[in-house]
């Protein structure tokens, strides 16, 4: 798609904040300096997180703890039991990720033949991606909030098309991840998540807002909890058209599935360029979204992965 992985002065770009200095102090939930919150499954109350050992900004700590505490409580408690910078210039920037693999790691089997599962938060929820995607469940990624964009953070990440653009070896065609949305109604939650992603990813953080975003009407869906109970969900798709950049792409497609989980939703977001071979088209994005599910405890498997990969 040409929009992810650019330098700030070029075009809207991808931010991968797996423990990268300068990205609001973010760390992955499985890094050595982060103590994850322990959610109360019976009574969802945000815990007091322990401060990270690695120095980070105060705003970064607030953002990180708030995001993980809220997402952890909502996603884990609800999915398991419900139903019983680079800084200032005109455009966002890219970062080469430092990827940490959790040890031990909980995995879940895919539900789509030939695809790969991406499990999040101790395997309580998962979704599947095609074989040409790279699952990175321990990576946080997103875009910083700016004066013109709302910003978004996603966990349980996966990516496609690394280095597709010869002009930028850090470029990516697209990706996916789960984001916390503080909206309870599924259609409204999906609308908010798609706005946060499309506006933040395809516009300079401090403006101007040059991307044309065309949303489709919300379509009803279902989400299966780990208990087997089905709850209402909503899917929203949007086409994004931007001015051409150095890699030449102009069109992308963004999709979100938001389930009804109580006071907030843990929504799956998928985005991909449409002008570059290897990305996900409309049919494939819908297929990825519809694999999002709660995972029964019997299907969760703990493994000890190889040592963390740094790149």
């Amino acid at each position: 798609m040409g929009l992810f992985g650019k330098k700030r002065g070029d075009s809207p770009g991808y931010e991968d904040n797996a423990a990268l200095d300068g990205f609001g102090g973010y760390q992955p939930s499985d890094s050595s300096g982060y103590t994850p919150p322990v959610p109360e499954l019976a009574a969802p109350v945000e815990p007091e997180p322990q401060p990270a050992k690695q120095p980070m900004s105060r705003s970064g700590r607030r953002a990180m703890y708030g995001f993980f505490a809220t997402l952890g409580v909502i996603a884990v408690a609800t999915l398991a039991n419900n139903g019983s910078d680079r800084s200032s210039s005109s455009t966002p920037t890219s970062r080469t990720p430092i990827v940490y693999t959790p040890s031990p790691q909980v995995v879940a089997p895919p539900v789509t033949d030939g695809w790969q599962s991406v499990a999040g938060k101790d395997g309580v929820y998962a979704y599947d991606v095609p074989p040409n995607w790279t699952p990175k469940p321990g990576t946080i990624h997103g875009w910083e909030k700016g004066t013109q964009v709302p910003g978004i953070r996603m966990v349980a990440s996966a990516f496609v098309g690394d280095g597709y653009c010869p002009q930028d070896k850090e470029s990516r065609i697209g990706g996916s991840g789960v984001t916390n949305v503080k909206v309870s109604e599924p259609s409204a939650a999906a609308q908010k998540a798609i706005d946060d992603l499309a506006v933040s990813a395809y516009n300079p953080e401090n403006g101007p807002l040059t991307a044309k975003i065309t949303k489709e009407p919300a379509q009803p869906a279902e989400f299966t909890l780990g208990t087997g109970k089905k709850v209402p969900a909503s899917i929203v798709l949007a086409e994004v058209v931007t001015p051409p950049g150095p890699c030449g792409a102009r069109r992308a497609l963004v999709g979100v599935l938001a389930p009804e989980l109580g006071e907030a939703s843990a929504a799956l977001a998928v985005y991909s360029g449409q002008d570059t071979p290897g990305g996900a088209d409309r049919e494939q994005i819908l297929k990825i979204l519809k694999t999002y599910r709660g995972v029964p405890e019997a299907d969760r498997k703990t493994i000890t992965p190889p040592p963390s990969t740094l790149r």
Side-chain angles (χ1 to χ4, degrees):
M1 98 188 133
L3 299 178
F4 292 88
K6 300 294 179 53
K7 307 302 182 202
R8 276 189 181 271
D10 294 338
S11 68
Y14 164 82
E15 294 265 15
D16 191 331
N17 50 326
L20 292 179
D21 293 337
F23 195 99
Y26 262 71
Q27 291 180 298
S29 58
D30 45 11
S31 69
S32 60
Y34 174 72
T35 303
V38 179
E40 280 291 338
L41 298 183
V45 177
E46 291 192 8
E48 282 291 329
Q50 297 298 315
K53 296 177 183 178
Q54 181 174 324
M56 59 174 68
S57 68
R58 286 178 295 176
S59 61
R61 284 196 294 268
R62 287 195 299 270
M64 180 182 70
Y65 295 149
F67 179 71
F68 277 104
T70 305
L71 183 59
V73 169
I74 291 169
V76 176
T78 309
L79 300 185
N81 290 337
N82 192 354
S84 19
D85 276 326
R86 256 181 209 180
S87 49
S88 67
S89 88
S90 60
T91 60
T93 185
S94 64
R95 286 269 172 79
T96 301
I98 301 173
V99 178
Y100 291 82
T101 303
S103 182
Q105 177 181 344
V106 181
V107 298
V111 295
T112 309
D113 289 342
W115 282 28
Q116 311 166 83
S117 177
V118 186
K121 196 57 184 175
D122 300 325
V124 172
Y125 60 86
Y127 65 95
D128 296 349
V129 293
N132 64 319
W133 286 55
T134 302
K136 292 187 178 178
T139 296
I140 311 163
H141 84 285
W143 286 263
E144 288 281 27
K145 180 179 181 180
T147 59
Q148 298 294 311
V149 304
I152 189 170
R153 305 286 181 271
M154 293 179 279
V155 298
S157 303
F159 304 103
V160 65
D162 282 11
Y164 80 95
C165 177
Q167 289 87 347
D168 189 346
K169 64 180 181 180
E170 297 176 5
S171 58
R172 283 190 171 116
I173 297 174
S176 57
V178 176
T179 185
N180 177 58
V181 185
K182 296 180 180 179
V183 178
S184 59
E185 198 278 319
S187 176
Q191 296 276 357
K192 175 169 172 46
I194 210 159
D195 285 340
D196 288 350
L197 176 56
V199 174
S200 300
Y202 297 95
N203 288 288
E205 67 181 57
N206 296 317
L209 302 183
T210 56
K212 180 182 178 182
I213 301 168
T214 305
K215 289 188 292 185
E216 299 180 10
Q219 51 183 287
E222 287 186 328
F223 181 91
T224 303
L225 300 168
T227 60
K229 178 183 177 180
K230 295 183 184 296
V231 298
S234 185
I235 292 175
V236 175
L237 297 174
E239 183 184 63
V240 183
V241 179
T242 68
C247 295
R250 297 187 60 194
R251 292 187 312 116
L253 192 64
V254 179
V256 168
L257 185 148
E260 185 176 278
L261 300 175
E263 294 182 358
S265 182
L268 173 63
V270 183
Y271 55 93
S272 179
Q274 301 299 292
D275 301 300
T276 304
D281 60 14
R282 176 192 171 88
E283 181 180 355
Q284 200 169 60
I285 286 177
L286 281 170
K287 190 173 180 179
I288 294 170
L289 292 173
K290 291 178 181 180
T291 66
Y292 185 34
R293 65 207 179 268
V295 179
E297 188 172 357
D299 289 344
R300 304 170 203 164
K301 180 180 179 181
T302 301
I303 63 171
T304 301
S308 298
T309 301
L310 304 181
R311 70 178 182 86

